[in-house]
Amino acid sequence: QVQLVESGGGLVQAGGSLRLSCAASGSIFSASVMGWYRQAPGKQRELVVTITGRGTTNYADSVKGRFTVSRDNAKNTVYLQMNSLKSEDTAVYYCNLRYGLMNYWGQGTQVTVSS
């Protein structure tokens, strides 16, 4: 069983920055595809970015150039640096781990951007 614990959310003004972290338990982290997803009120959960174990990334167009994902396999942690935040970035952000058929989600962390 894998547990994912997100941290770093909060309230920030438009144009500001936040850094999210997601710590994973277990031994499969380095071989897993890690992802950040978000869900705004009344909307479906959407992809923000994924990163493979080797560091290949895939960003949603809406965050390209503003958000940066990174991972530290020695610490079993993935990060999301969010810059130039906009009000439309307001959502609950979820960490995701995929390994083969296994798929795990964190509990989510709220990010609120005030305009």
Side-chain angles (χ1 to χ4, degrees), residues 12 14-18 66-67 82-87 89 113:
V12 64
S17 298
L18 281 174
R66 300 188 299 122
F67 291 10
M82 304 185 294
N83 299 329
S84 303
L85 283 161
K86 306 175 181 179
S87 57
D89 295 318
V113 183

Side-chain angles (χ1 to χ4, degrees), residues 22-85:
C22 172
S25 65
S27 59
I28 60 173
F29 179 85
S30 62
S32 301
V33 176
M34 299 300 300
W36 288 99
Y37 292 74
R38 66 186 181 187
Q39 187 167 17
K43 295 187 177 182
Q44 290 187 333
R45 191 172 298 188
E46 64 177 6
L47 169 72
V48 176
V49 62
T50 59
I51 181 169
T52 69
R54 294 187 176 185
T56 300
T57 58
N58 178 42
Y59 289 91
D61 288 343
S62 59
V63 306
K64 282 181 181 177
R66 300 188 299 122
F67 291 10
T68 302
V69 66
S70 61
R71 63 191 293 163
D72 186 336
N73 289 337
K75 295 183 178 180
N76 277 17
T77 302
V78 62
Y79 306 96
L80 183 65
Q81 178 67 43
M82 304 185 294
N83 299 329
S84 303
L85 283 161

